[in-house]
Amino acid sequence: MFSLWQDLRYAARTLGRARIKQKRTKSDGRTSTLAIRFHGRLSTNDMAKGSPNRIELLQGTLAMRILRTLLFGPAHGQEIAKPIQQTTVDVLQVEHGSLYPALHRLERKGWVVSKWEMAKDRKRELKYYRLTPSGKKQLAREESKWKQLAGAIARVMWPAEEG
């Protein structure tokens, strides 16, 4: 799973619009915190020289975050992006240029459905997205894969001391 770290560093260097921030613990020098913030839109053209796996990784995590947010009920675009940013203490930000193409991909796959509705407390319509039953199943699959990936990375980064 060391390749995930390499993929993220490569993506940051390739895009030139990312900041990588690391904090290290003083006692043993291991990385304790990693924050990568992408600025602007992430498109397939930005990573043309890279592997398609890098694009799928970034799109997949965004899809998982969107599905997870919609698990709590229907929401329009801003209502989806804001909780992601707030719960991650601004480490993960969802730009409109990434959010709406991701929502359209999820809709094409049948994982979300949308409907124009009159907004509460406003005098205009907004497009609300809802999670479908197949979207809930996909979220469960993605969460399982994410737990495996996070566990593998944790074992690489912080191996158990032998003895």
Side-chain angles (χ1 to χ4, degrees):
M1 289 296 118
F2 182 69
S3 65
L4 174 65
W5 171 249
Q6 290 173 329
D7 286 349
L8 291 172
R9 289 191 61 93
Y10 174 83
R13 283 194 315 269
T14 302
L15 291 173
R17 294 177 298 182
R19 276 189 307 192
I20 299 176
K21 180 172 84 173
Q22 293 177 301
K23 292 182 182 177
R24 297 191 182 272
T25 58
K26 293 181 181 180
S27 61
D28 59 6
R30 292 186 297 169
T31 303
S32 61
T33 302
L34 168 67
I36 299 178
R37 184 174 296 166
F38 290 97
H39 299 283
R41 184 175 169 187
L42 178 64
S43 71
T44 55
N45 293 334
D46 292 332
M47 300 174 108
K49 296 178 187 175
S51 164
N53 291 336
R54 289 183 177 91
I55 297 165
E56 290 172 15
L57 171 71
L58 296 170
Q59 288 179 348
T61 58
L62 177 58
M64 183 176 58
R65 290 179 280 153
I66 291 170
L67 293 174
R68 179 72 179 157
T69 303
L70 290 175
L71 188 61
F72 299 105
H76 60 80
Q78 185 63 25
E79 289 176 337
I80 294 169
K82 194 172 183 179
I84 292 171
Q85 185 173 334
Q86 288 175 338
T87 57
T88 62
V89 193
D90 294 328
V91 171
L92 300 176
Q93 295 186 5
V94 182
E95 303 290 334
H96 290 324
S98 299
L99 176 64
Y100 291 102
L103 284 166
H104 295 151
R105 275 193 305 275
L106 297 176
E107 204 168 8
R108 283 192 303 273
K109 291 179 180 184
W111 297 340
V112 300
V113 292
S114 64
K115 182 180 178 185
W116 287 95
E117 296 178 13
M118 190 61 74
K120 302 169 189 98
D121 302 332
R122 295 187 185 172
K123 294 180 181 179
R124 63 184 188 127
E125 284 189 323
L126 296 173
K127 195 173 194 179
Y128 282 83
Y129 295 88
R130 289 174 175 76
L131 195 59
T132 65
S134 64
K136 288 180 184 177
K137 290 177 186 174
Q138 180 62 24
L139 177 60
R141 285 190 294 269
E142 292 296 321
E143 284 179 343
S144 175
K145 283 194 268 182
W146 184 254
K147 285 178 185 176
Q148 288 177 334
L149 178 63
I153 291 170
R155 287 188 296 277
V156 170
M157 297 300 293
W158 304 283
E161 291 184 24
E162 294 183 32

